[in-house]
Amino acid sequence: MSDAVGAGVKLLVVDDDAALLRALERTFQQAGYEVTTAASGEEALAILRDRPPAVVVSDLMMPGLDGIDLLREARALPVPPEVLLVTAHASVERAVEAMRLGAFDFVEKPIQRDRLLLLVHRACERRNLTSENALLRERLADRKGLDRLVGAGPAIAELRRSIAQIAPTDVPVLVTGESGTGKEVIAELLHSQSPRRGAPLVKISCAAIPETLLESELFGYERGAFSGAATTKRGRFELAHGGTLFLDEIGELAPAMQAKLLRVLQDGMVQRLGSTKDIAIDVRLVAATNADLEVAMREGRFRRDLYHRINVIEIAAPTLRERREDLPLLVAHFLRLHRSLRATPLVGVSDGALEVLAAHAWPGNVRELENTVQRALVTAPGPMLEARDLRFAAFASGASAQAAGAGGRDGVFVPAGSTLAEAEERLIADTLERCHGDKERAARILGISARTLYRRASRGGPDDGDPPNEAVFAVD
């Protein structure tokens, strides 16, 4: 075997025998490896956590942390190195046990140089193969991750492009948008597409936790810091070390907490409650808000210096009203996602149902659409999802009515005290106006036959009619 097989591969060599440790170091350096040495298991463990190597060559029998213990610690790392154990003949049985725990192989003393180099070379090859497979899985997961943004329109395409461009960086991101637009999904994708994906994504809602508890949740506390603090607790910043911290509804932070958060972001240090010790943190911050922070700053409710800290890059989550062309894909997605809600699946969605969905105001955005589809799955007789199967939440209907009453085009306003016939007449007239007099299209939106629409439009009388049965797409 050539003496240059190592080609800069990082090795960690561990042995409490100083003479043998020096000999092994020279052997591996001559073969081209980049060698770090440790004289104990404890020293090796510190190196493993700080500068993980590709392969560990360790003596099996050492005082304190021995080779088996070191093997367990190495295999628990996010990207574990291959471990080769060096053992005396009398300890071969224990070395075989170590292989069951994940060791690559073992070599007996006295060590044969060529066998040792061959085993290390093979360990490097397996580590390379493992790394390539992990990278392939990550790429597949990345592709699947971006597919969580369902849609094919320009708004969602621009959002995917922004996430792909911003995720690999460490800059703070502010995700803005109305409730229900998927701001948390964007935060998850920013983390999963980043180099920090192997570390935690820690989430906290600034509005869901009382102000008196939020500080201890974010920064942690020492035992005895206050009544009830029986143990030391790490805060969310510490838990997110090396990863991403997602602060949802950051616009709801009280002024005192804004000042404390600003100090942490400036210094990169946190102090637990009841402590004077600074703890260094390495965290990528993603914040989200559905509030207008510009207005909040003008009114003195949000600090301008904090705003500039968290808003290095802004991602605006598009509303469903801005991406109505994605409705068919979103409906199909939610029908597949929640198909277990019914015994027999829906096989498609009618034109009329899609037109009703397209005409709705969607104040609750994608979250409201998902809830609407779930309700329809429970109540629709099938086999198609029809316009008559759709029921919107009371708040959504109210929002649509307000928009229509203000001259909007997203709903029909029916005055209190109207009769059912008057309400029906208003609905038919409004739908016909939307459809520019096209009665066939208006009938599909209303979920009735064109014949029924002609009769009701002319006489205002009820008629059973025939339900539409057009399929726009197949769900399965």
Side-chain angles (χ1 to χ4, degrees), residues 265-288:
L265 297 180
Q266 288 173 336
D267 300 342
M269 300 278 186
V270 295
Q271 273 189 15
R272 296 175 186 160
L273 292 180
S275 173
T276 58
K277 179 184 176 183
D278 284 333
I279 301 172
I281 46 108
D282 172 23
V283 167
R284 198 258 183 96
L285 182 73
V286 178

Side-chain angles (χ1 to χ4, degrees), residues 115-329:
R115 172 170 167 74
L116 175 64
L117 289 175
L118 177 62
L119 287 176
V120 170
H121 178 64
R122 288 176 177 171
C124 290
E125 288 181 332
R126 189 163 87 172
R127 170 61 188 271
N128 288 339
L129 182 61
T130 302
S131 297
E132 288 172 3
N133 288 339
L135 182 60
L136 179 60
R137 285 194 299 271
E138 282 183 5
R139 287 175 177 170
L140 291 173
D142 289 350
R143 194 174 304 166
K144 184 177 180 181
L146 285 175
D147 287 345
R148 292 180 64 190
L149 297 173
V150 178
I156 213 69
E158 175 62 20
L159 181 57
R160 287 196 192 99
R161 187 198 65 77
S162 295
I163 291 173
Q165 182 179 22
I166 296 166
T169 72
D170 257 354
V171 297
V173 178
L174 178 64
V175 185
T176 59
E178 296 179 7
S179 294
T181 50
K183 297 187 291 296
E184 185 173 342
V185 171
I186 292 173
E188 290 169 356
L189 290 172
L190 285 169
H191 175 75
S192 68
Q193 311 299 301
S194 77
R196 295 174 177 266
R197 64 174 67 89
L201 167 63
V202 178
K203 307 174 186 178
I204 187 168
S205 171
C206 300
I209 300 175
E211 182 185 347
T212 52
L213 299 178
L214 187 57
E215 183 175 3
S216 63
E217 283 294 323
L218 283 174
F219 308 135
Y221 55 80
E222 296 289 345
R223 178 180 178 183
F226 50 83
S227 177
T231 60
T232 296
K233 177 181 176 179
R234 293 192 297 162
R236 303 295 177 97
F237 270 99
E238 285 185 73
L239 293 173
H241 181 71
T244 304
L245 179 64
F246 176 53
L247 296 182
D248 197 10
E249 299 187 77
I250 195 170
E252 302 300 317
L253 276 181
M257 277 304 303
Q258 292 179 33
K260 292 172 182 177
L261 176 60
L262 177 63
R263 183 184 64 81
V264 171
L265 297 180
Q266 288 173 336
D267 300 342
M269 300 278 186
V270 295
Q271 273 189 15
R272 296 175 186 160
L273 292 180
S275 173
T276 58
K277 179 184 176 183
D278 284 333
I279 301 172
I281 46 108
D282 172 23
V283 167
R284 198 258 183 96
L285 182 73
V286 178
T289 181
N290 58 14
D292 190 333
L293 295 186
E294 290 283 354
V295 173
M297 286 187 290
R298 286 199 299 270
E299 295 176 353
R301 293 182 287 108
F302 200 84
R303 296 179 63 111
R304 193 167 293 275
D305 46 3
L306 177 59
Y307 174 78
H308 291 302
R309 279 279 175 183
I310 64 174
N311 189 20
V312 176
I313 292 181
E314 180 177 340
I315 294 180
T319 65
L320 189 51
R321 298 182 298 282
E322 297 171 309
R323 44 183 296 230
R324 291 181 189 271
E325 67 276 6
D326 291 332
L327 275 167
L329 290 175

Side-chain angles (χ1 to χ4, degrees), residues 21-37:
L21 187 63
R22 285 194 299 272
L24 290 172
E25 181 181 18
R26 285 195 300 270
T27 296
F28 289 125
Q29 284 176 339
Q30 289 169 1
Y33 292 100
E34 184 180 322
V35 185
T36 302
T37 60

Side-chain angles (χ1 to χ4, degrees), residues 60-115:
L60 178 63
M61 304 298 293
M62 294 183 293
L65 193 77
D66 65 8
I68 296 286
D69 295 329
L70 187 61
L71 169 65
R72 289 195 179 98
E73 294 287 349
R75 299 306 295 173
L77 292 172
V79 184
E82 297 295 339
V83 179
L84 182 69
L85 294 172
V86 178
T87 178
H89 178 72
S91 303
V92 169
E93 288 185 4
R94 194 148 186 245
V96 172
E97 175 194 352
M99 290 185 65
R100 295 195 190 101
L101 295 175
F104 176 77
D105 209 330
F106 66 93
V107 60
E108 293 181 66
K109 297 178 182 177
I111 298 171
Q112 296 179 7
R113 179 181 181 276
D114 288 345
R115 172 170 167 74

